[in-house]
Amino acid sequence: MTVKNHPAYGEELQRLKYTLDYVYESLSLLNERKGNLDEDISRRRRHFSSESSQDYIDLMIGTMMQDRTNLKLRNLIAAKSKPYFAKIDFLEAEKESSEKLYIGKMALIREEDQELIIVDWRAPVANLYYEERLGDASYKSPEGSVKGQLQLKRQFSINDGKLEQMFDIDITTNDEFLQASLGSSADSRLKEIVSTIQAEQNQVIRADMWTPLIVQGAAGGGKTTIALHRIAYLIYTHEKTFKPENFMIIAPNKLFLNYISEVLPELGVEKTKQTTFEDFAVQIIGQKFKIKDSNEKLNLFVNHNATEEQIAKNSLLRQQSELKSSMQFKDIIDGYIAEIEKCFIPREDFMLGSRVIMSYNEINEVFLKNYTRMPIVKRIDELKKHLTSRLKSMKDALVADIQDKCDKRIRRFKNELEEGEARQKLIIETIDKKNELIAKIELHSKSAVKDYIKKISKLDPFQYYKELFEKRDYYSSLVLAKLDSAVADYMRGYTLEEIKKAEYDIEDIAPIMYLKFMIYGVDEKIPVRHIVIDEAQDFSVFQIYVLKNIIKDSSFTILGDLAQGIHAYRGVKDWNDIARHVFGGKSQYLLMEQSYRTTVEIMEAANKVIAKLEDEKLTPAHPVIRHGMSVKISKMDSKEEMVRDIEQKLDKYKKDKLKSMAIICKTADECEEIFSLFKKTKERPYIITGKEKEYKSGIVIVPSYLAKGLEFDVVFIANAENDIYTKAELDIKLLYVAMTRPLHNLHIYYTNELSSLLHDV
């Protein structure tokens, strides 16, 4: 049925015209208001006086109003093209007439009478559209549950202000509107999906902010997009309490951050902190350091052509990486910190001259027992107060004692000696000696505390970390006693060698951050109150534990897919480990099983591969009902022939208007090899190395481990050989990641023997 044949077409066309008329009218008024505001702020800046607090307050208020006006202006400009995407008719219980509510990305309210023209998709009432079916329905408002009858759910496709499609629906899954959205092409950025959010996605978005949320999401389930929409929802819901700056996204790399960069601004959210764990670590530790590319290590682990000696070495490397990422290593660091604590105070009494003001045992007891909740170095300020207080009372008593002895001696002189020059001389000498002693005490007391504190030696976090491995007595008691000696010895030698080169693995960073936090505390107040971690399966439990402890009173949204845990040697193997070790068992777990990215044919093939792991924690993805071409597996006589075939298909797909295509190889070396076989044309694919700061769409060659999180219209998997994708856990996950990237078509190539993982595909 065409849109014009819909019985409500005339009514909806009229409503759209009314809405757009108001949008244009509002734009005109707001542009005029913005011009006046900009001029006023410019004038205030020109005449600003730093000595006037009123000038400062006026400028701050004006700047805030300017920011809000600019945001409202951007929203209105966007509304010119797509003012809303849905409509609901809801008859609230005990009311005579239903409300007709139009839902869009942003709210639009008529200023003269506060009539709601467009409802923000984040408003509580919008939940009726996302989760309820026609008939009896309810939604939760700040005042409580609102019950009634949902009489209509209608979706619109509006572009450039024109009504192109409209559908009356019951549920929001598997309808024509969703199909049209899923059938579109991949782009160089993620897009907002407010019009097609499904019920299970909506539950993640609207989950309680203060209960830590762990989301296991299938490949193509929209985890990243949903995470960003959750931030937009939380900022909207808690706008009186929190600012966008109070939210932080931690992504796996800068390329990924660039890939997601446009979604939050499209949702009207600015200034949210977006970072990587490595960059955040630099901020916390307070000094720059070199972190090795973790993909170099992954390359070693996936290389099946290594010698037996190298394989054995890689096994030890993997085990030490796994250990450093574990909570067991956190316990080792805790033991080391306890040793640092014991030896932190110099084994000296606090003296004033020859007199003991406070013994070493007393000082150490105060240091170790009175302030255990404080970072070690921050206890020094409290210790200073103790020493200063004790010194003052002892000094006052000492001065009083000297004065008393002086007075007694002078009385004795007066009682025993006749008045005269000799007696007067002795009295003056006694007074002078007293004054000299008191002056010495005053002088020494001024620097006594400072001099004692100076004897407390402090290392930076990197030096402390090095010392753990360097000092055999520490290492033997803390590490060797708890570990296999071969792994412990290898870890010690490997770590010291890397430290000598001033390089650190990603697994070293959480322990160093933890040392910094426990010994020094955090130098600056971190305004973050809610943290979203994406691709969390490749973070260690120790990393997340450190974040939780450093950013106190913060809440978390943690999203990932264990089936894509390609860094499993240092990542999460079971979400329960995070729930237990980080949140003490107090967290919410949600499962997103639907996959919206790829077709049924591709997803079923990928599920057969991941099923080879026989791991009950890995939930298979359920594709929405969108069919396409079968997965095409082709045997080629050579890699040159394979590349020629890919080139032909690339040309065909480009003619079909598909722009985003990827050739996925297992490793970076394979990418280089395949790249060299492409004809040197101006449209030659470019290689993604992981060092890019900006993601560009087009035709790319990408190693499997960097493809995670990205999506393409078409994917070509090169070299799906049996000796490349073996039955090893990492190989299975890498192949699964590669197979779940395409929206539409998947081609798999091999030249010798097809991977056994694909025999039943």
Side-chain angles (χ1 to χ4, degrees), residues 589-605:
Y589 175 81
L590 289 176
L591 185 62
M592 288 170 55
E593 297 179 281
Q594 288 289 117
S595 176
Y596 303 96
R597 176 186 296 134
T598 196
T599 62
V600 171
E601 290 76 10
I602 294 173
M603 200 67 246
E604 286 180 349

Side-chain angles (χ1 to χ4, degrees), residues 6-40:
H6 193 287
Y9 174 70
E11 174 192 342
E12 295 299 354
L13 202 62
Q14 190 176 355
R15 171 68 192 211
L16 178 59
K17 183 181 181 304
Y18 162 76
T19 304
L20 289 174
D21 285 347
Y22 189 79
V23 167
Y24 279 97
E25 182 186 335
S26 299
L27 266 172
S28 177
L29 291 170
L30 198 61
N31 272 316
E32 184 180 345
R33 191 182 304 166
K34 181 183 182 305
N36 294 334
L37 189 57
D38 290 348
E39 189 179 324
D40 180 60

